[in-house]
Amino acid sequence: MALAVYPGSFDPVTNGHLNIIRRAVKLFDQVIVAVAYNVRKKGLFSVQERLEMLEFVTRDIPGVEVDSFQGLLVNYMQKRQATVVLRGLRAISDFEYEFQMAHMNNYLAADIETVFMMTGAEEFYISSNIVKEVASLDGDVSGLVPGVVEEYLRRKNKK
Ligand code: PNS
């Protein structure tokens, strides 16, 4: 069975992520969307909230599982018996970081391969960070994130 892990912060999930997930389920039998507990990045949303949003927006997409992991991605991959890491690539700015991560993961676990998918043409400029900034300044993000995420952002920014 072709199994891919799509890891990330998903703080929060955007239409760009969702575009990748929808296309990835056509290539893999199962896609595990895995939210990382990142010790270096303090998120706007708790991992629990990110999981809730992801569960909601992927509920109608067969072949998707939402999960979280702590520690090294390669250890999680081994636990799930997965060998493919799936990552979305936007414009050139993503390249260096993605290149480093792919090689580091391959160095740590030689049987792990990273597969990149280009983000959709409509979404290539969207990032969770830019969405959070615009939403915090009361900008309209309705075309950039699913409705449920917009609602979570609104609630978070009211606090
Ligand atoms: O959405 P992001 O923040 O770009 O995702 C980065 C992520 C979570 C995929 C990466 O930080 C990661 O794999 N973290 C787990 C810890 C780990 O394995 N680090 C070494 C890989 S370079």
Side-chain angles (χ1 to χ4, degrees):
M1 186 170 91
L3 171 64
V5 171
Y6 181 31
S9 303
F10 301 103
D11 183 42
V13 59
T14 67
N15 286 349
H17 296 127
L18 210 48
N19 171 279
I20 297 281
I21 296 169
R22 284 189 201 286
R23 286 161 50 216
V25 289
K26 296 181 191 155
L27 303 176
F28 300 97
D29 297 307
Q30 201 191 355
V31 175
I32 303 173
V33 182
V35 179
Y37 278 88
N38 194 333
V39 277
R40 278 185 298 159
K41 271 195 201 169
K42 165 125 182 50
L44 174 65
F45 294 102
S46 68
V47 170
Q48 185 54 41
E49 289 170 317
R50 296 179 217 179
L51 290 170
E52 282 166 20
M53 287 182 266
L54 276 165
E55 295 273 8
F56 190 85
V57 300
T58 60
R59 69 199 184 287
D60 295 332
I61 312 174
V64 175
E65 180 191 328
V66 173
D67 195 10
S68 60
F69 70 98
Q70 294 197 5
L72 283 178
L73 173 62
V74 292
N75 292 345
Y76 175 72
M77 303 279 298
Q78 275 154 2
K79 192 178 99 189
R80 298 303 309 260
Q81 296 187 305
T83 52
V84 175
V85 177
L86 174 68
R87 294 284 291 173
L89 263 192
R90 286 168 305 200
I92 30 180
S93 55
D94 280 341
F95 184 77
E96 194 178 346
Y97 173 54
E98 294 298 334
F99 188 81
Q100 279 178 346
M101 272 204 305
H103 281 285
M104 179 55 76
N105 285 330
N106 192 254
Y107 164 80
L108 293 169
D111 58 342
I112 288 187
E113 285 296 339
T114 303
V115 170
F116 293 103
M117 289 180 70
M118 300 300 289
T119 40
E122 309 271 297
E123 291 94 8
F124 82 98
Y125 64 96
I126 307 175
S127 73
S128 298
N129 283 340
I130 221 159
V131 162
K132 283 183 282 192
E133 179 171 333
V134 172
S136 73
L137 300 171
D138 264 343
D140 177 11
V141 293
S142 58
L144 312 178
V145 292
V148 65
V149 174
E150 219 190 322
E151 188 49 46
Y152 270 69
L153 281 164
R154 206 172 296 130
R155 264 190 269 153
K156 192 65 79 175
N157 290 323
K158 260 197 218 145
K159 281 180 191 165

